[in-house]
Amino acid sequence: MSTFLEQAFLERDAAAARVFYDEWAPTYEAEITALGYAAPARCAAALTEYVTDLDTPILDFGCGTGLAGQAFNEAGFTHIDGVDISPAMLEQSSKKGIYRSLQPIAAGAAPDGKYGIISAVGVISPGAAPGTTIDVLMHALPKGGKLVFSFNDHALADPLQTGRLNEWIDCSAAYVLFAEHGPHLPAQNMNSTVYVVEKY
Ligand SMILES: C[S@@+](CC[C@H](N)C(=O)[O-])C[C@H]1O[C@@H](n2cnc3c(N)ncnc32)[C@H](O)[C@@H]1O
């Protein structure tokens, strides 16, 4: 395991997360793909169960090198935009040629544009984006819009992360269409729950 993966889930603020992911960007994809990274394909498969119009624009939030965008593209989605705090990650994802646009985003900022679907695959986690990201992304969705995302085992153990989702559900501002626990990084025995949540 690289030093990056060993340190990935340690608490850090947004400035440190940006530096961390900038440094990991050149080797991130090869490393986690070799470990069987399963969340992108699981999120794409879950999404296709609830979205029939594959032309619905997707914002791939925290797109990284583009593994989730690639999974959505392979599932047939046609309009995928990406944002990330890490310029070096965006440089990697631009090589995939599957994004309509790729933009840097400041930590905690509301995304521009209107999207019927927002994804955050492997993004909301200790060491990356905070649980309050759920609020930012849910507010950015229109009524009926869908958020597809994963909470890895570290996020699931952190009430600051799961609590933000529960708040939306408990007050009936959103509804969980799909939640399934399964493999995240199988070679590391790490799992995640994949969610599809609809905004009321
Ligand atoms: C583990 S990677 C996941 C990348 C991609 N979604 C995937 O599934 O491979 C986490 C990504 O989230 C980005 N990130 C971390 N904090 C963020 C924030 N506050 N806002 C937006 N992106 C963030 C990182 O730069 C990194 O690209």
Side-chain angles (χ1 to χ4, degrees):
M1 200 196 320
S2 79
T3 328
F4 288 114
L5 191 56
E6 277 171 16
Q7 296 182 359
F9 308 109
L10 302 178
E11 291 290 351
R12 56 176 63 82
D13 64 17
R18 178 182 158 157
V19 171
F20 179 79
Y21 278 103
D22 269 349
E23 289 177 351
W24 198 1
T27 54
Y28 168 86
E29 183 162 321
E31 180 177 0
I32 65 163
T33 301
L35 296 172
Y37 184 42
R42 290 177 56 215
C43 285
L47 194 57
T48 55
E49 287 187 34
Y50 299 96
V51 179
T52 49
D53 180 3
L54 297 178
D55 295 330
T56 307
I58 301 182
L59 177 66
D60 185 15
F61 183 89
C63 60
T65 61
L67 286 171
Q70 187 175 322
F72 298 133
N73 176 264
E74 286 168 2
F77 286 95
T78 57
H79 292 78
I80 309 167
D81 292 341
V83 292
D84 202 289
I85 54 164
S86 160
M89 281 291 196
L90 291 167
E91 196 181 316
Q92 296 294 324
S93 50
S94 70
K95 295 178 189 166
K96 290 228 164 22
I98 52 162
Y99 288 95
R100 194 174 55 169
S101 81
L102 285 165
Q103 299 289 336
I105 191 166
D112 284 339
K114 287 281 168 242
Y115 295 92
I117 301 166
I118 299 178
S119 63
V121 183
V123 176
I124 306 170
S125 165
T132 49
T133 305
I134 295 274
D135 302 315
V136 173
L137 300 184
M138 290 302 293
H139 283 300
L141 281 172
K143 185 175 158 59
K146 293 174 182 63
L147 177 64
V148 57
F149 69 103
S150 59
F151 269 158
N152 63 35
D153 288 336
H154 301 284
L156 290 167
D158 179 357
L160 291 176
Q161 310 252 337
T162 55
R164 297 318 309 152
L165 173 63
N166 293 340
E167 180 118 347
W168 282 83
I169 306 308
D170 290 350
C171 71
S172 300
Y175 178 75
V176 176
L177 296 170
F178 178 94
E180 188 177 83
H181 199 60
H184 189 75
L185 282 175
Q188 294 290 315
N189 288 321
M190 186 188 297
N191 292 321
S192 61
T193 298
V194 163
Y195 297 88
V196 181
V197 175
E198 182 172 317
K199 182 176 177 180
Y200 276 160

